[in-house]
Each structure stands twice: as structure tokens, then as C-alpha cells.
Amino acid sequence: MDVAELLEAASLLVPEETATENDITVRDIWDYLVHDEWEIALGLLEELGDAGSPPLAFWEKLAEAADQFRLERSAAWCHWRCSEIRNGAIRAELTLRPAAEARRTTPISGAGVLRPMWDIGHLSPTGERAVSIAMLWVENMPTLEPGGRATVRLLPLTPSHWTHVQPGQHITMHEDSTVAGTAVVLEVYSPATAC
């Protein structure tokens, strides 16, 4: 499929009543598609996808269109959303420790590249702390500075380790044996219900 066909197919998977925070709907996007303004249509479809709960096929089509446009961050976001739908996801409010108090002295990438360890309350068979790995996406920010705070999305590498995690729970992020940050869980999405 070419980009126009992918975007048209994706737009058909969004309910008509879905609207962005700025009241953009599928009808508005069709105006951009008719005028071959595909990059704008792609961005608006991503916003619509974030406003609702479209199916996996929606994000797959947007990912393919973004790949064809060579829009790296947009493609990464759409592929990320596909993974959330398949595996589930956790949204949390993360606060990184300041550079003077932690090993990290540089910002972390916000685009889902970091795979830190998380203390989510598991113990090893010997009673020691056990950690689980989850990829990290920082919402609405390209990076997160040491000492910074942001809403993040976690994509567990082993979803079964995370089934007990609940909103309100405090979890800690580790890049080594020390605490790199603390987070409060906001929302937990099961596979195929990720938002």
C-alpha cells in the first residue's frame, strides 16, 4: 500500500465521534488526505489514536506510513503503540534522582530506547529483591533530565511479571544497583486494552 492508502485505511478504523483535545475528528483529517497533505494527516491520526482506543491495525498502518515517510520518532511511537496493545502497558509519573545523587548525569532519551530495571515488589527465591525490565517512553518530551519529572509509559519485556502492579503503587527504577528514579503508577493496561 502507498502512504495515502495506508492513511485512508487507518482513518476508517477511528470511530467518527472520536476527537482530539482540539476537537479534530476524522472528517477534518479527510480534508488533509484529499489535498495530499499526508504528513499532517499522519500527525492528526496519531493524536486521534491517543484520544481513543483504535485497534492494532490502526497503529500498524500508521507505523508503515511513518516508515515510508522516514519519520523516525513518529514511526517509533506507532510501533510502540502496537507493542502496548500486544503486551499491555503501564503509565506512571517518574521522578529521576538529581545528577549529584545518582550515577546518571545525562538526560535519558524519551523515545523508548532505555530498558531500565524496575523494583515492582518481587523477591527472588532467596528473599532478595528481584527486578523486572520495562522499556521507557517519556510522554510529550524528547528527553528527561536528571532530577526531572514526567509522565512515562512502560512496556514490560515480560508482561506476566507485572500483572500485580496497580495504580497508586510506588516502583523504583534502576540502571545499576542504585535507585535511578521513583515512580507512582497512574494506569495499567492489559494486552489488547492498552490506551
Side-chain angles (χ1 to χ4, degrees), residues 148-170:
R149 182 179 182 163
T151 301
V152 298
R153 299 174 88 92
L154 306 178
L155 190 59
L157 267 59
T158 309
S160 62
H161 290 186
W162 294 73
T163 57
H164 70 287
V165 173
Q166 298 293 321
Q169 184 174 345
H170 291 258

Side-chain angles (χ1 to χ4, degrees), residues 56 79-90 135 154-160 162-163 189-194:
L56 177 60
H79 287 294
W80 178 277
R81 292 304 302 266
C82 290
S83 294
E84 283 188 352
I85 292 170
R86 289 185 193 105
N87 302 313
I90 289 100
M135 294 170 55
L154 306 178
L155 190 59
L157 267 59
T158 309
S160 62
W162 294 73
T163 57
Y189 301 105
S190 301
T193 64

Side-chain angles (χ1 to χ4, degrees), residues 16-123:
E16 266 189 62
E17 65 276 2
T18 303
T20 67
E21 289 180 2
N22 298 326
D23 291 326
I24 302 287
T25 66
V26 174
R27 289 183 183 177
D28 299 311
I29 292 168
W30 276 96
D31 288 339
Y32 290 104
L33 291 173
V34 166
H35 293 98
D36 295 335
E37 297 188 46
W38 301 327
E39 197 169 331
I40 294 171
L42 173 64
L44 292 173
L45 281 166
E46 286 179 33
E47 285 184 45
L48 271 180
D50 292 339
S53 297
L56 177 60
F58 170 84
W59 290 108
E60 289 172 335
K61 290 179 187 334
L62 290 188
E64 189 176 339
D67 283 335
Q68 287 186 28
F69 269 134
R70 291 183 172 76
L71 299 171
E72 290 179 23
R73 186 166 174 94
S74 185
W77 175 242
C78 295
H79 287 294
W80 178 277
R81 292 304 302 266
C82 290
S83 294
E84 283 188 352
I85 292 170
R86 289 185 193 105
N87 302 313
I90 289 100
R91 287 184 74 235
E93 189 69 27
L94 172 66
T95 303
L96 292 180
R97 291 182 64 198
E101 298 175 17
R103 289 188 182 214
R104 176 172 284 283
T105 58
T106 59
I108 61 173
S109 169
V113 232
L114 188 64
R115 296 177 180 205
M117 299 170 285
W118 295 88
D119 181 353
I120 55 175
H122 285 297
L123 296 177

